Amino acid sequence: MKLAVIGGGGVRSMFLAKSIAQKAQALDIDELTFMDNDEVKLNIYGKMAKKVASLLCSSLKFTLTSEPVEAVRDADYIITTIRVGGDAMRVKDERIALNLGLLGQETTGAAGFSFAMRSISALAQYCELIKKYSKPNCKVFNFTNPAGVVSQTLRDMGYDFTYGICDAPSGMLTSFAKLYGVDENAVKGEVYGLNHLSYFKSITVNGKEVMRNLIENDEAYEKTDMRYFEKELLRQRGAVLNEYLYYFYYREKAVENILKAEKTRGEQICEINNAMTAQLKEIDIDSNFEKALAIYEHWYGERENNYMAAETGIKRKNKWHFDIYEKDTGGYAGVALKFMETAQQKCRDSMILCTENKGAINGLKDSDVVEITCDVSADGCVPHKFGDVDEQNLEIIRRVKIYERLASRAIREKSIQCAVEALTLHPLVNSYSLAKILVSEYLKLNKNYIGEWK
């Protein structure tokens, strides 16, 4: 079986390679191809990924390429994780919003629309190649942000073989497993909402409901990403919240903290990645992998410990280490691999995906892409039925979903009017006059990527 990764020159490529290589034999993955159109990064991070895979599964045929057709040819599964325009464009996306006093976060905030404008055109081209050259039943797992808008738009364009995946919900469940001292498979969550805007309605440990206990557990607010919220808020919502809901419930604090910070998250990542790449360019990866790994650990540790620090004022303190041989907790590839495993074994299991609502959440359209706990089998993906959910939670979900529908239409039709309508309704913009400015600025910024809009 062949698995391809489009965007295999990204700084997280080793994570993907580790996850895949550890499961390769069990899943009959004998061919793995990492493709990236940035050959410099492919020859750094792609090579490091290839080395990791060789240490874990020497029989795996691992190819690096800059040719997309070569990558997708005869592929059974494909992971897409691309960043059109690189880190520098993220910085500009976010600053345009911040200059208007708006949250610039690249997925949840207004900057996500700009990122989507660039991403979707490229992803659609890859999808066309996949239809032409990959196996007939090839499935595509998209990690490219903003996953909500991207997944909705790709489905609206007819690419029903695509699934949006994010590791935020599964990462939260893994942190709860550590908190309770149990195996990660012992913790299950019933999640509903949208990407980066989802609510855990239920969390069980070995089949026992622990939601109320978790909300009252002070240790959870120290050791998991519940740290971003007040206990009283979670009590009121009757749910554990996706960490990105911080931006909705503490909007003014997030903007204030970012503006006070020396650098935005995008600027931090851009500087870290540039410094790391510059040092790694001087290293022969093949002959001096240990030194390359030490450089990587230093810089990526900086990145991890500053996650959401500018927005929340809370900095992680853990020493970060990449252990090649440690049992993989899934992360970026875990959800995709679990999907493959379930399909191969012809069994049924639950997992959290971005897929069509199909009546799962009352108040949303069947065609709305939601982030939700699903039953997955060889026959496909069926979202769990949640029916009527908390009306306050639903209100935020519906508002952002309308934004995503309009954003999808704007990008598909290259419509300025739809773009303005979309950002006007976005809860973190909520202004027609500011939406007009944003659209004008983002059209100018992205003119070399998206062509003319009308």
Side-chain angles (χ1 to χ4, degrees):
M1 186 170 73
K2 178 179 177 180
L3 173 60
V5 176
I6 296 174
V11 298
R12 292 170 169 168
S13 292
M14 284 201 300
F15 301 155
L16 287 167
K18 175 182 172 179
S19 298
I20 295 164
Q22 285 191 359
K23 291 283 188 76
Q25 290 184 331
L27 295 179
D28 270 342
I29 301 171
D30 54 12
E31 186 174 354
L32 179 60
T33 301
F34 275 31
M35 175 265 161
D36 206 293
N37 55 17
D38 185 329
E39 293 195 35
V40 171
K41 292 179 71 177
L42 185 66
N43 283 315
I44 295 173
Y45 302 107
K47 275 189 175 181
M48 293 180 75
K50 186 173 183 178
K51 178 65 173 179
V52 168
S54 71
L55 292 170
L56 293 170
C57 184
S58 58
S59 63
L60 183 63
K61 179 184 176 183
F62 196 128
T63 305
L64 301 176
T65 183
S66 58
E67 295 296 327
V69 172
E70 180 185 346
V72 305
R73 191 186 301 278
D74 297 325
D76 297 272
Y77 293 96
I78 293 172
I79 292 171
T80 57
T81 173
I82 66 173
R83 179 170 290 282
V84 180
D87 296 323
M89 287 295 279
R90 172 181 181 171
V91 170
K92 293 176 183 178
D93 289 340
E94 293 181 344
R95 276 295 172 192
I96 285 171
L98 283 169
N99 288 342
L100 296 172
L102 300 171
L103 184 73
Q105 208 277 335
E106 73 155 353
T107 57
T108 300
F113 181 74
S114 183
F115 191 13
M117 292 167 82
R118 296 191 299 275
S119 300
I120 288 165
S121 175
L123 287 169
Q125 291 178 50
Y126 287 126
C127 284
E128 287 299 316
L129 292 177
I130 289 163
K131 285 169 63 177
K132 186 173 181 180
Y133 294 104
S134 299
K135 295 279 183 65
N137 294 317
C138 180
K139 298 287 189 299
V140 176
F141 303 104
N142 175 61
F143 290 115
T144 302
N145 277 318
V149 174
V150 169
S151 299
Q152 184 67 58
T153 310
L154 291 177
R155 286 276 176 157
D156 289 344
M157 296 173 81
Y159 302 122
D160 58 1
F161 49 82
T162 61
Y163 296 89
I165 290 180
C166 178
D167 66 340
S170 59
M172 184 79 89
L173 293 176
T174 298
S175 72
F176 296 151
K178 291 178 181 178
L179 183 71
Y180 284 99
V182 298
D183 184 89
E184 63 191 60
N185 293 319
V187 182
K188 302 290 184 182
E190 288 294 315
V191 174
Y192 70 91
L194 310 177
N195 177 247
H196 287 180
L197 199 154
S198 55
Y199 297 82
F200 285 88
K201 185 177 182 180
S202 167
I203 296 171
T204 60
V205 175
N206 290 319
K208 180 183 177 182
E209 181 61 57
V210 298
M211 174 69 76
R212 290 297 173 186
N213 173 273
L214 196 55
I215 290 174
E216 298 301 324
N217 188 338
D218 291 338
E219 197 177 4
Y221 296 87
E222 298 174 4
K223 296 184 177 179
T224 77
D225 283 340
M226 284 169 60
R227 63 173 61 90
Y228 303 123
F229 305 101
E230 296 164 86
K231 187 181 293 185
E232 186 60 29
L233 173 62
L234 272 61
R235 286 173 180 157
Q236 291 171 0
R237 301 280 38 85
V240 168
L241 311 184
N242 184 301
E243 67 255 39
Y244 283 86
L245 277 164
Y246 172 84
Y247 298 113
F248 291 89
Y249 289 108
Y250 299 89
R251 178 185 58 182
E252 77 293 342
K253 288 185 179 181
V255 174
E256 181 183 2
N257 287 339
I258 294 169
L259 291 174
K260 282 182 179 177
E262 184 180 341
K263 299 165 189 166
T264 65
R265 176 66 173 163
E267 287 163 348
Q268 286 176 351
I269 287 178
C270 191
E271 288 187 13
I272 288 170
N273 286 352
N274 286 344
M276 178 166 61
T277 302
Q279 287 189 20
L280 289 171
K281 280 173 70 174
E282 304 302 315
I283 303 292
D284 184 328
I285 304 294
D286 294 322
S287 63
N288 208 346
F289 177 72
E290 291 302 320
K291 185 175 181 180
L293 185 58
I295 291 170
Y296 182 89
E297 286 185 333
H298 166 75
W299 287 110
Y300 201 87
E302 284 290 304
R303 173 176 171 148
E304 280 294 287
N305 283 331
N306 280 287
Y307 175 69
M308 285 184 76
E311 300 92 330
T312 65
I314 302 171
K315 186 173 180 177
R316 294 175 175 175
K317 300 176 183 178
N318 302 327
K319 182 173 174 58
W320 191 83
H321 173 61
F322 183 80
D323 188 334
I324 296 171
Y325 301 100
E326 182 182 27
K327 182 185 175 184
D328 188 54
T329 57
Y332 272 71
V335 183
L337 293 169
K338 186 175 179 181
F339 188 108
M340 297 177 204
E341 184 176 18
T342 304
Q344 280 189 11
Q345 293 178 354
K346 296 184 179 179
C347 61
R348 184 178 295 273
D349 202 352
S350 66
M351 56 193 300
I352 302 163
L353 289 171
C354 292
T355 189
E356 289 176 341
N357 182 50
K358 296 179 180 175
I361 304 171
N362 292 345
L364 297 179
K365 294 182 179 180
D366 286 351
S367 59
D368 285 339
V369 171
V370 293
E371 183 170 87
I372 196 164
T373 304
C374 305
D375 285 332
V376 175
S377 68
D379 296 326
C381 169
V382 179
H384 287 189
K385 294 283 185 181
F386 284 83
D388 294 328
V389 299
D390 180 277
E391 64 178 0
Q392 290 188 41
N393 299 349
L394 180 63
E395 184 65 23
I396 296 178
I397 293 168
R398 279 172 50 83
R399 185 76 178 269
V400 174
K401 190 70 249 180
I402 295 170
Y403 153 73
E404 289 183 352
R405 288 182 204 142
L406 286 166
S408 168
R409 183 179 172 190
I411 292 168
R412 287 181 288 117
E413 299 180 2
K414 296 189 174 184
S415 167
I416 295 173
Q417 179 183 329
C418 281
V420 172
E421 289 178 2
L423 285 168
T424 298
L425 281 171
H426 195 302
L428 300 179
V429 178
N430 202 33
S431 165
Y432 175 69
S433 56
L434 293 177
K436 287 199 298 181
I437 298 171
L438 283 169
V439 171
S440 175
E441 291 297 314
Y442 286 146
L443 286 171
K444 285 188 285 187
L445 177 66
N446 293 307
K447 63 182 179 180
N448 292 332
Y449 298 93
I450 63 174
E452 292 294 322
W453 284 35
K454 58 184 184 300

